[in-house]
């Protein structure tokens, strides 16, 4: 990952081959961080740190204590409002059905940081029949720094 040219302090990253696996659970619109595991592996590279104003989609952001974005990763929204259903009917053997209260778990991999950081989840609201709206932060969690 490259840091923006305006970032003049020492990078906040720990060892470049240390990663944190963050495990989340969700039920409806409530998301909880249920586990953090420091592992030896390369974290996925960051996407651009700027230029996301009014953009639609889903991403995670690692931020320092001052709110500056240190890492961003765009991804498919792991909180799905529908499930895959299997049946023996010929033309509809596999299809998706909406669920009123989605629930499940997911994990993300982020680079290990020297100091504690905040991880924000950002997503677009989904309104049936309308285009995706600009993504907004919907949850923020504390992430431990290098131990």
């Amino acid at each position: 990952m490259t840091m923006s040219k305006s970032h003049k302090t020492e990078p906040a990253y720990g060892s470049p081959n240390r990663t944190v696996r963050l495990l989340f659970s969700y039920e409806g619109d409530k998301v909880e961080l249920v586990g953090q595991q420091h592992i030896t592996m390369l974290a996925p590279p960051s996407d651009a740190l700027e230029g996301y104003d009014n953009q639609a989609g889903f991403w995670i952001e690692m931020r320092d204590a001052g709110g500056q974005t240190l890492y961003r990763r765009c991804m498919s929204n792991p909180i799905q409002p529908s499930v895959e259903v299997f049946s023996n009917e010929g033309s509809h053997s596999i299809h998706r059905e909406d669920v009123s209260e989605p629930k499940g778990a997911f994990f993300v991999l982020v680079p290990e940081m020297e100091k504690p950081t905040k991880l924000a989840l950002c997503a677009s609201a989904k309104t049936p029949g309308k285009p995706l709206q600009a993504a907004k932060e919907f949850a923020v969690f504390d992430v431990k720094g290098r131990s």
Side-chain angles (χ1 to χ4, degrees), residues 1 20 24 42 50 55 63 75 78-79 83 94 122 131 135:
M1 165 173 165
V20 182
F24 297 90
L42 292 174
E50 298 174 353
Q55 294 294 311
R63 300 177 185 154
M75 54 198 304
I79 302 169
V83 293
I94 302 173
C122 302

Side-chain angles (χ1 to χ4, degrees), residues 104-117:
F106 64 95
F107 72 90
V108 297
L109 299 171
V110 296
E112 179 182 75
M113 302 286 178
E114 288 285 336
K115 296 180 180 176
T117 54

Side-chain angles (χ1 to χ4, degrees), residues 28-40:
D29 59 1
K30 182 180 178 188
V31 180
E32 292 183 56
L33 175 60
V34 296
Q36 298 182 52
Q37 180 184 19
H38 293 257
I39 55 178
T40 302

Side-chain angles (χ1 to χ4, degrees), residues 17-101:
N17 63 349
R18 295 287 296 172
T19 297
V20 182
R21 179 185 294 136
L22 301 170
L23 177 62
F24 297 90
S25 67
Y26 64 92
E27 188 163 346
D29 59 1
K30 182 180 178 188
V31 180
E32 292 183 56
L33 175 60
V34 296
Q36 298 182 52
Q37 180 184 19
H38 293 257
I39 55 178
T40 302
M41 70 174 281
L42 292 174
S46 179
D47 290 308
L49 299 179
E50 298 174 353
Y52 285 79
D53 295 340
N54 298 315
Q55 294 294 311
F58 180 91
W59 59 83
I60 59 170
E61 292 181 359
M62 299 280 298
R63 300 177 185 154
D64 65 14
Q68 180 179 356
T69 302
L70 304 171
Y71 177 87
R72 177 180 281 124
R73 186 159 151 233
C74 300
M75 54 198 304
S76 296
N77 192 335
I79 302 169
Q80 293 297 312
S82 64
V83 293
E84 199 169 64
V85 177
F86 297 86
S87 73
N88 291 328
E89 296 177 25
S91 65
H92 290 60
S93 61
I94 302 173
H95 63 280
R96 298 201 70 82
E97 289 186 9
D98 291 340
V99 292
S100 59
E101 288 290 315

